[in-house]
PDB file of all heavy atoms in Angstrom:
ATOM      1  N   CYS A 141      -3.660 -14.550  -8.074  1.00 94.00           N
ATOM      2  CA  CYS A 141      -3.032 -13.497  -9.081  1.00 94.00           C
ATOM      3  C   CYS A 141      -1.801 -12.823  -8.609  1.00 94.00           C
ATOM      4  O   CYS A 141      -0.943 -12.553  -9.376  1.00 94.00           O
ATOM      5  CB  CYS A 141      -4.209 -12.569  -9.427  1.00 94.00           C
ATOM      6  SG  CYS A 141      -5.638 -13.139 -10.473  1.00 94.00           S
ATOM      7  N   ALA A 142      -1.922 -12.469  -7.379  1.00 93.00           N
ATOM      8  CA  ALA A 142      -0.667 -11.912  -6.680  1.00 93.00           C
ATOM      9  C   ALA A 142       0.478 -12.727  -6.698  1.00 93.00           C
ATOM     10  O   ALA A 142       1.629 -12.276  -7.080  1.00 93.00           O
ATOM     11  CB  ALA A 142      -0.978 -11.422  -5.212  1.00 93.00           C
ATOM     12  N   THR A 143       0.302 -14.032  -6.458  1.00 93.00           N
ATOM     13  CA  THR A 143       1.430 -14.984  -6.535  1.00 93.00           C
ATOM     14  C   THR A 143       2.017 -14.976  -8.003  1.00 93.00           C
ATOM     15  O   THR A 143       3.208 -14.919  -8.194  1.00 93.00           O
ATOM     16  CB  THR A 143       0.915 -16.340  -6.228  1.00 93.00           C
ATOM     17  OG1 THR A 143       0.405 -16.349  -4.881  1.00 93.00           O
ATOM     18  CG2 THR A 143       2.083 -17.293  -6.392  1.00 93.00           C
ATOM     19  N   VAL A 144       1.226 -14.951  -9.065  1.00 93.00           N
ATOM     20  CA  VAL A 144       1.579 -14.903 -10.429  1.00 93.00           C
ATOM     21  C   VAL A 144       2.522 -13.709 -10.665  1.00 93.00           C
ATOM     22  O   VAL A 144       3.452 -13.798 -11.352  1.00 93.00           O
ATOM     23  CB  VAL A 144       0.387 -14.930 -11.265  1.00 93.00           C
ATOM     24  CG1 VAL A 144       0.880 -14.645 -12.843  1.00 93.00           C
ATOM     25  CG2 VAL A 144      -0.275 -16.299 -11.416  1.00 93.00           C
ATOM     26  N   LEU A 145       2.060 -12.568 -10.047  1.00 92.00           N
ATOM     27  CA  LEU A 145       2.858 -11.309 -10.304  1.00 92.00           C
ATOM     28  C   LEU A 145       4.127 -11.184  -9.388  1.00 92.00           C
ATOM     29  O   LEU A 145       4.757 -10.204  -9.548  1.00 92.00           O
ATOM     30  CB  LEU A 145       1.805 -10.188 -10.034  1.00 92.00           C
ATOM     31  CG  LEU A 145       0.584  -9.849 -10.927  1.00 92.00           C
ATOM     32  CD1 LEU A 145      -0.294  -8.938 -10.399  1.00 92.00           C
ATOM     33  CD2 LEU A 145       1.184  -9.432 -12.334  1.00 92.00           C
ATOM     34  N   GLY A 146       4.205 -12.083  -8.480  1.00 93.00           N
ATOM     35  CA  GLY A 146       5.325 -12.014  -7.509  1.00 93.00           C
ATOM     36  C   GLY A 146       5.106 -11.024  -6.427  1.00 93.00           C
ATOM     37  O   GLY A 146       6.097 -10.558  -5.726  1.00 93.00           O
ATOM     38  N   ILE A 147       3.863 -10.749  -6.167  1.00 91.00           N
ATOM     39  CA  ILE A 147       3.553  -9.769  -4.997  1.00 91.00           C
ATOM     40  C   ILE A 147       3.354 -10.587  -3.772  1.00 91.00           C
ATOM     41  O   ILE A 147       2.388 -11.535  -3.774  1.00 91.00           O
ATOM     42  CB  ILE A 147       2.246  -8.887  -5.358  1.00 91.00           C
ATOM     43  CG1 ILE A 147       2.556  -8.001  -6.667  1.00 91.00           C
ATOM     44  CG2 ILE A 147       1.914  -8.040  -4.238  1.00 91.00           C
ATOM     45  CD1 ILE A 147       1.307  -7.320  -7.153  1.00 91.00           C
ATOM     46  N   LYS A 148       4.002 -10.306  -2.747  1.00 92.00           N
ATOM     47  CA  LYS A 148       3.839 -10.891  -1.418  1.00 92.00           C
ATOM     48  C   LYS A 148       2.363 -10.602  -0.845  1.00 92.00           C
ATOM     49  O   LYS A 148       2.008  -9.367  -0.792  1.00 92.00           O
ATOM     50  CB  LYS A 148       4.868 -10.550  -0.462  1.00 92.00           C
ATOM     51  CG  LYS A 148       4.797 -11.196   0.805  1.00 92.00           C
ATOM     52  CD  LYS A 148       5.992 -10.829   1.733  1.00 92.00           C
ATOM     53  CE  LYS A 148       5.968 -11.485   3.016  1.00 92.00           C
ATOM     54  NZ  LYS A 148       7.188 -11.049   3.850  1.00 92.00           N
ATOM     55  N   THR A 149       1.669 -11.560  -0.353  1.00 93.00           N
ATOM     56  CA  THR A 149       0.314 -11.358   0.211  1.00 93.00           C
ATOM     57  C   THR A 149       0.147 -12.058   1.524  1.00 93.00           C
ATOM     58  O   THR A 149       0.899 -13.023   1.780  1.00 93.00           O
ATOM     59  CB  THR A 149      -0.795 -11.826  -0.827  1.00 93.00           C
ATOM     60  OG1 THR A 149      -0.790 -13.285  -0.938  1.00 93.00           O
ATOM     61  CG2 THR A 149      -0.734 -11.187  -2.079  1.00 93.00           C
ATOM     62  N   ALA A 150      -0.732 -11.678   2.200  1.00 95.00           N
ATOM     63  CA  ALA A 150      -1.242 -12.390   3.523  1.00 95.00           C
ATOM     64  C   ALA A 150      -2.735 -12.332   3.479  1.00 95.00           C
ATOM     65  O   ALA A 150      -3.357 -11.288   3.114  1.00 95.00           O
ATOM     66  CB  ALA A 150      -0.577 -11.875   4.737  1.00 95.00           C
ATOM     67  N   THR A 151      -3.388 -13.376   3.824  1.00 97.00           N
ATOM     68  CA  THR A 151      -4.880 -13.281   3.996  1.00 97.00           C
ATOM     69  C   THR A 151      -5.205 -13.388   5.531  1.00 97.00           C
ATOM     70  O   THR A 151      -4.616 -14.166   6.273  1.00 97.00           O
ATOM     71  CB  THR A 151      -5.536 -14.512   3.356  1.00 97.00           C
ATOM     72  OG1 THR A 151      -5.237 -14.469   1.902  1.00 97.00           O
ATOM     73  CG2 THR A 151      -7.039 -14.527   3.491  1.00 97.00           C
TER      74      THR A 151
END
Side-chain angles (χ1 to χ4, degrees):
C141 290
T143 300
V144 169
L145 291 169
I147 298 173
K148 184 179 181 182
T149 66
T151 299

